[in-house]
């Protein structure tokens, strides 16, 4: 249904930004063109009368490219500029280093059979999808190239929300939805971060668009595409599976035949789920038991954290709370219309309510497991769906003010909603991007002591230096302080944790040890006396940015390596 309350044909993706079709099914401008044709008695008119077959059906006129697409292009350019500014502002985040480094290993394993770590056992997504793709991007363009890939994914997600909303509610609502999504801080942040999230969100967004297309004129290709893309999004990042029911619900409720009461509508949703189940089942069988165990460990049976309900809820409210309030207003508007008009308007209300709930799913899920971890990324998945409702209510507000006051009043009202979202989102994006320290000085200080071979390095959060120094080291040389295992050469018994670290230090097995007293601060304090007693010396203390202070120890007799 359009922003002014009319159902739209599948061809309504060609609807002008503010144009209306004239009564009688003739598009704006169509009557004027037909009125200038040949009149009765003209030979051309006689030939038309003699033609057999059904009369031609008038279609809405195709709008000019400028009217329909230039507003979206403007949104994409602004979004790209905001995320690109972040891309250039910091060195690799630990997750970026982990995924890119893992991708290089997976490629080497696929090409040459090189040994590779069991990433599938602890990654929250398949190590054969995003890590491989981002490693190729890093090979071609370095870290900035990998981040630009994420920016491309997020721009495509914005285009998808525009196209989906345009099919449901017209071009004005589509522009408002795209602007609201691009304005969010998490959207800008993910556009500059080389992690699973941007790719998974983009694939999920296009799965949602295909579900909308299925209900507004699409056929089996849209159905299969929606289910398959859902499976790909879930395999890319397991957390994306949370929104599978939402996409299936869109297939049931959206479009002129959306309904909770007809078998045809439920059949669409069930077929989307069937395509998803078949695809994800085949992928699980191909991936093997380790990947299934990794999914259970990282997602399905994840250990709860220690963050309070109020803290998780307040952080989610900071990032997407204003958007959800606008979407809630849209749901209330739809409820009023449904009570007045009845019939198909109820399906539109239930669809709006579903999309609002989709925006709340990530915060509710992470409140359930008491963790703030990655919430700033996960909320953007649900926000994509809620932006459809936000775009609808903003478009209706613009048209209502246009009729009663002036178009400028409507535009100003929409700007007063989207503008503050963008202002706050830009500040939030910078804040998120400054949460980790710049590692340039730390990597430069560590580089002279790292060489490919048998030497082992014990480094807290080693993924970033391992990524930057991958050309002069092997992945087997790096270890963190969280899960260290060692076999005692005298007794043959396995040691783990702090005793294993201390025994390795006493035997000078770790050639370089780096402590920063952050995530494993308690372990750092326990092993520091052991380092001194074993003769390790401090070669440098590096301060990087606001958060990083690294103390670099080297074993007795170990020094810088010649290049």
């Amino acid at each position: 249904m359009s922003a002014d309350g009319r159902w739209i044909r599948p061809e309504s993706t060609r609807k002008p930004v503010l144009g209306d079709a004239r009564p009688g099914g003739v598009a704006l401008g169509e009557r004027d063109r037909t009125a200038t044709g040949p009149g009765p008695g003209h030979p051309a008119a006689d030939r038309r009368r003699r033609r057999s077959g059904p009369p031609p059906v008038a279609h809405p006129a195709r709008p000019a490219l400028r009217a329909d697409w230039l507003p979206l292009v403007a949104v994409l350019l602004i979004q790209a500029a905001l995320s690109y500014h972040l891309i250039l502002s910091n060195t690799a985040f630990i997750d970026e280093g982990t995924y890119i480094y893992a991708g290089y290993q997976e490629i080497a394993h696929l090409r040459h059979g090189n040994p590779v770590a069991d990433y599938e056992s602890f990654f929250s997504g398949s190590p054969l999808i995003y890590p491989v793709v981002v490693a190729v991007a890093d090979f071609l363009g370095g870290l900035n190239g990998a981040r630009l890939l994420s920016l491309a994914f997020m721009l495509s997600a914005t285009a998808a929300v525009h196209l989906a909303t345009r099919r449901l509610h017209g071009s004005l609502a589509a522009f408002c939805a795209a602007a609201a999504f691009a304005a969010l801080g998490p959207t800008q942040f993910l556009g500059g971060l080389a992690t699973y999230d941007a790719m998974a969100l983009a694939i999920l967004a296009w799965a949602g668009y295909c579900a909308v297309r299925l209900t507004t004129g699409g056929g089996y290709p849209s159905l299969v595409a929606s289910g398959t893309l859902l499976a790909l999004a879930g395999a890319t990042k397991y957390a994306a599976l949370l929104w599978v029911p939402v996409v299936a619900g869109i297939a049931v409720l959206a479009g002129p035949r959306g309904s909770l009461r007809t078998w045809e509508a439920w059949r669409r949703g069930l077929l989307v789920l069937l395509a998803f189940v078949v695809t994800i089942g085949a992928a699980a069988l191909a991936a093997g038991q380790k990947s299934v165990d990794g999914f259970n460990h990282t997602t399905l049976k994840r250990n709860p954290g220690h963050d309070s309900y109020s803290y998780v809820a307040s952080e989610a409210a900071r990032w997407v709370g204003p958007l959800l309030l606008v979407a809630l207003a849209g749901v209330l508007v739809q409820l009023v219309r449904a009570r007045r008009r009845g019939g198909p308007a109820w399906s539109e209300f239930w669809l709006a309510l579903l999309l609002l709930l989709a925006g709340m799913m990530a915060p509710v899920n992470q409140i359930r497991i008491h963790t703030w971890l990655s919430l700033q990324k996960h909320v953007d998945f649900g926000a994509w769906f809620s932006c459809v409702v936000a775009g609808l209510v903003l478009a209706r507000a613009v048209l209502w003010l246009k009729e009663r006051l002036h178009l400028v009043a409507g535009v100003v009202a929409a700007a007063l909603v989207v503008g503050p979202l963008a202002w706050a989102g830009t500040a939030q994006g910078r804040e998120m991007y400054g949460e980790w320290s710049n590692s340039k000085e730390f990597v430069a200080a560590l580089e002279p002591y790292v060489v490919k071979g048998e030497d082992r390095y014990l480094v807290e959060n080693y993924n970033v230096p391992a990524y930057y120094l991958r050309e002069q080291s092997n992945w087997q040389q790096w270890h963190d302080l969280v899960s260290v295992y060692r076999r005692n050469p005298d007794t043959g018994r396995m040691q783990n944790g702090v005793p294993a670290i201390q025994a390795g230090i006493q035997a000078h097995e770790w050639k370089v040890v780096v402590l920063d007293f952050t995530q494993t601060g308690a372990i750092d304090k326990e092993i520091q006396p052991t380092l001194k007693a074993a003769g390790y010396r401090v070669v440098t203390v590096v301060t990087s940015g606001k958060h990083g202070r690294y103390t670099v120890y080297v074993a007795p007799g170990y020094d810088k390596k010649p290049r």
Side-chain angles (χ1 to χ4, degrees):
M1 186 170 283
S2 69
D4 56 356
R6 294 181 300 104
W7 285 116
I8 302 177
R9 303 166 54 89
E11 294 86 356
S12 64
T13 55
R14 306 168 183 173
K15 182 186 173 198
V17 174
L18 289 175
D20 278 331
R22 291 185 179 178
V26 181
L28 183 63
E30 185 84 9
R31 194 180 302 275
D32 296 335
R33 289 194 301 271
T34 57
T36 60
H42 192 280
D46 295 337
R47 285 196 298 271
R48 285 202 302 270
R49 284 197 298 269
R50 289 195 296 269
R51 288 174 185 167
S52 60
V57 178
H59 294 286
R62 179 187 294 271
L65 179 65
R66 180 175 60 187
D68 226 18
W69 289 104
L70 282 188
L72 173 62
V73 172
V75 170
L76 294 178
L77 288 175
I78 294 172
Q79 178 186 347
L82 293 173
S83 290
Y84 187 73
H85 172 73
L86 298 177
I87 287 174
L88 304 178
S89 65
N90 207 345
T91 53
F93 180 46
I94 181 172
D95 289 355
E96 294 179 302
T98 301
Y99 300 145
I100 299 173
Y101 189 56
Y104 278 111
Q105 292 181 45
E106 293 290 352
I107 292 173
H109 176 71
L110 293 172
R111 293 186 61 192
H112 310 296
N114 294 3
V116 64
D118 292 332
Y119 290 113
E120 62 268 27
S121 65
F122 60 90
F123 269 16
S124 58
S126 171
L128 292 176
I129 301 179
Y130 178 76
V132 171
V133 172
V134 77
V136 173
D138 182 85
F139 176 79
L140 296 174
L143 179 62
N144 287 346
R147 288 173 169 175
L148 287 173
L149 176 66
S150 291
L151 177 57
F153 282 131
M154 293 306 295
L155 293 176
S156 77
T158 304
V161 77
H162 181 276
L163 292 174
T165 310
R166 186 170 177 252
R167 278 189 164 263
L168 291 172
H169 305 302
S171 297
L172 179 59
F175 167 70
C176 294
F181 183 69
L184 295 175
T187 299
Q188 299 172 29
F189 176 61
L190 292 183
L193 193 71
T195 62
Y196 288 117
D197 304 271
M199 181 176 180
L201 196 159
I203 298 172
L204 180 67
W206 286 103
Y209 165 73
C210 289
V212 171
R213 185 179 179 85
L214 172 65
T215 66
T216 55
Y220 282 102
S222 297
L223 187 153
V224 173
S226 183
T228 304
L229 288 173
L230 274 179
L232 180 58
T236 302
K237 183 178 177 69
Y238 302 144
L241 295 171
L242 189 63
W243 289 273
V244 169
V246 176
V247 175
I250 291 173
V252 174
L253 294 169
R257 294 184 300 276
S259 174
L260 288 175
R261 299 182 178 181
T262 64
W263 166 243
E264 178 190 3
W266 283 103
R267 179 173 173 269
R268 289 197 303 262
L270 291 174
L271 287 175
V272 169
L273 285 178
L274 177 62
F276 161 74
V277 170
V278 170
T279 307
I280 201 71
L285 289 174
Q289 188 61 40
K290 282 187 177 180
S291 294
V292 175
D293 293 341
F295 168 70
N296 290 329
H297 173 68
T298 62
T299 305
L300 196 61
K301 301 178 181 178
R302 183 170 186 159
N303 293 328
H306 304 285
D307 297 320
S308 67
Y309 293 145
S310 58
Y311 177 71
V312 178
S314 63
E315 290 298 287
R318 271 205 315 135
W319 296 320
V320 294
L323 172 72
L324 294 181
L325 288 177
V326 177
L328 176 61
V331 172
L332 295 177
V333 169
Q334 294 295 92
L335 176 61
V336 172
R337 294 183 70 255
R339 290 175 65 88
R340 289 178 177 175
R341 300 188 179 187
W346 280 108
S347 296
E348 193 169 315
F349 161 70
W350 291 119
L351 176 62
L353 180 60
L354 174 69
L355 298 176
L356 171 64
L357 294 177
M360 301 170 61
M361 291 175 73
V364 169
N365 182 58
Q366 298 206 207
I367 288 173
R368 178 184 64 85
I369 58 177
H370 291 274
T371 182
W372 171 89
L373 187 65
S374 296
L375 179 62
Q376 76 273 35
K377 297 181 286 184
H378 294 166
V379 293
D380 213 34
F381 286 70
W384 186 90
F385 296 95
S386 297
C387 281
V388 176
V389 189
L392 170 62
V393 71
L394 290 175
R396 286 206 168 129
V398 170
L399 293 175
W400 187 85
L401 290 171
K402 173 178 177 283
E403 292 176 358
R404 286 159 178 78
L405 297 175
H406 194 275
L407 176 61
V408 173
V411 173
V412 169
L416 289 176
V417 174
V418 177
L421 281 179
W423 182 271
T426 302
Q428 290 170 359
R430 289 196 299 264
E431 176 189 347
M432 295 175 192
Y433 228 77
E435 288 179 351
W436 66 92
S437 59
N438 188 304
S439 60
K440 182 178 180 180
E441 296 178 8
F442 166 56
V443 173
L446 192 60
E447 182 179 12
Y449 299 95
V450 175
V451 64
K452 187 175 292 188
E454 300 297 324
D455 296 335
R456 299 170 68 195
Y457 312 120
L458 186 68
V459 181
E460 191 169 356
N461 295 329
Y462 70 82
N463 302 85
V464 171
Y467 159 68
Y468 281 114
L469 303 177
R470 63 187 180 276
E471 298 294 335
Q472 61 192 68
S473 63
N474 298 314
W475 67 268
Q476 297 95 330
Q477 295 178 258
W478 298 92
H479 300 268
D480 59 25
L481 285 79
V482 176
S483 55
V484 177
Y485 297 89
R486 179 182 183 271
R487 185 177 298 279
N488 190 315
D490 298 327
T491 64
R493 299 181 63 181
M494 289 297 297
Q495 301 171 305
N496 69 290
V498 173
I501 295 174
Q502 291 173 329
I505 291 172
Q506 292 165 354
H508 298 164
E509 294 174 359
W510 309 109
K511 300 305 181 184
V512 178
V513 179
V514 179
L515 308 179
D516 68 3
F517 299 95
T518 54
Q519 292 184 356
T520 57
I523 297 176
D524 294 354
K525 292 178 181 178
E526 284 193 66
I527 68 174
Q528 197 172 31
T530 308
L531 288 166
K532 295 179 180 179
Y536 281 70
R537 70 185 192 277
V538 177
V539 294
T540 185
V541 177
V542 181
T543 301
S544 292
K546 297 183 294 183
H547 311 291
R549 181 178 173 83
Y550 305 94
T551 304
V552 182
Y553 294 83
V554 297
Y558 193 81
D559 209 340
K560 295 181 179 181
K561 299 300 178 180
R563 299 296 172 198

